[in-house]
Amino acid sequence: PQAFLRSDADCTIFVYPPKGQSDFPGQLLKLSKMLYGSKQAAALWYNLLNTFLLKLGFRASSMDPCFYRRACEITNDPTAARSDAIIILHVDDMRVAAAPEVLKIIHDQLFVEFQITTSDTGRFLGMDMDYDLTKGMLKMHMHTYIESTVERFKGFDLSKGVPYRELVGSLLWIVLCVLGPELLRVKDLAKRSNRFTIADYKDALKVLDRIVASKQYGIIFRRGGANKEFIPSKTRLGG
């Protein structure tokens, strides 16, 4: 919770208090912790979390600094596991793979340090994860997130304001994760974020309708599927 606010400020930064919260006219506040929106907040948070994971025995991959592995003791058994835990990290969200007893220890250590919240393995970053171990298939899609977006914006009371930026932000996350064919349309909507009208909001709702019609689509990974990628014919040059 409030990940970016946990890092100590690495330089002297003064800010004005929020409007109406000053103790006296012209008051300035000196930051002791980072704030969301400051340029180095994300980097300082990563350094903080990375330092803690290193203390737990994890090491980041040289190919991807957000992929962590904790090595097991080396044995002569070629079938022995090389790692007792694996972590993938996205800003302040992570997935941890480990045996139940190891997972509990890691969870308790993270909870003491960061008061983390947890969820089941079915969701990550707004995406649904469908596993079929028998068929050797993993599907990542956003059916749940799309449904919640429809529920959030379709019946919105516009007398309270037009949530254009919020809707476009949700659409951007959907197309960046799993529905790339709508990306150009959503990027066009994003360009209007500072000068939007009701008509623009209705255009955004139309894009949401098209996304709803494709909510079953996603990204599929198959066991043994490396170098056997299938590209749908409609996405090839020439149709």
Side-chain angles (χ1 to χ4, degrees):
Q2 305 299 322
F4 286 7
L5 306 184
R6 295 176 176 270
S7 306
D8 293 328
D10 64 337
C11 59
T12 301
I13 302 179
F14 292 98
V15 297
Y16 289 107
K19 190 173 182 179
Q21 300 298 316
S22 299
D23 295 323
F24 52 85
Q27 182 183 23
L28 289 175
L29 303 176
K30 181 180 178 181
L31 293 185
S32 60
K33 299 286 186 179
M34 274 294 102
L35 283 180
Y36 281 85
S38 56
K39 291 182 179 179
Q40 66 270 49
L44 291 177
W45 158 248
Y46 173 78
N47 291 339
L48 179 67
L49 181 58
N50 178 67
T51 300
F52 183 74
L53 292 178
L54 293 179
K55 288 180 182 178
L56 298 186
F58 287 91
R59 291 294 178 267
S61 166
S62 59
M63 299 180 65
D64 185 345
C66 294
F67 177 83
Y68 289 86
R69 185 173 70 89
R70 188 165 67 181
C72 297
E73 293 184 8
I74 299 176
T75 66
N76 294 324
D77 183 2
T79 63
R82 293 188 303 155
S83 308
D84 77 334
I86 291 174
I87 292 177
I88 57 172
L89 175 67
H90 182 91
V91 190
D92 60 344
D93 290 292
M94 64 174 68
R95 292 196 74 145
V96 185
E101 60 276 10
V102 176
L103 190 63
K104 184 180 186 311
I105 294 172
I106 295 173
H107 171 272
D108 292 345
Q109 292 170 322
L110 286 168
F111 185 83
V112 169
E113 185 72 14
F114 297 112
Q115 296 75 56
I116 61 169
T117 56
T118 58
S119 64
D120 61 31
T121 58
R123 301 286 307 284
F124 185 58
L125 301 176
M127 290 181 282
D128 299 297
M129 305 289 174
D130 293 341
Y131 297 93
D132 190 326
L133 294 178
T134 303
K135 295 181 179 180
M137 186 176 75
L138 163 66
K139 180 179 179 181
M140 300 165 60
H141 60 96
M142 300 192 78
H143 185 285
T144 304
Y145 186 87
I146 291 170
E147 288 290 337
S148 65
T149 302
V150 171
E151 184 178 345
R152 179 181 176 188
F153 293 106
K154 277 294 187 178
F156 195 88
D157 183 2
L158 298 181
S159 65
K160 298 180 180 179
V162 180
Y164 182 79
R165 293 189 184 95
E166 293 87 342
L167 175 55
V168 171
S170 296
L171 295 177
L172 273 172
W173 189 240
I174 294 169
V175 298
L176 288 172
C177 287
V178 296
L179 286 176
E182 295 289 341
L183 179 57
L184 290 179
R185 294 185 179 92
V186 178
K187 287 177 66 176
D188 179 63
L189 293 172
K191 293 177 182 177
R192 314 177 205 172
S193 293
N194 291 326
R195 296 186 304 275
F196 60 85
T197 64
I198 290 292
D200 295 325
Y201 183 70
K202 291 181 178 179
D203 286 344
L205 289 176
K206 290 178 182 177
V207 174
L208 178 58
D209 287 337
R210 284 198 294 272
I211 287 176
V212 170
S214 305
K215 63 184 178 183
Q216 75 276 14
Y217 293 158
I219 301 171
I220 295 176
F221 298 89
R222 301 181 189 277
R223 184 186 298 131
N227 302 314
K228 300 177 184 178
E229 294 84 355
F230 170 71
I231 303 176
S233 57
K234 68 178 183 179
T235 66
R236 295 177 184 150
L237 290 176

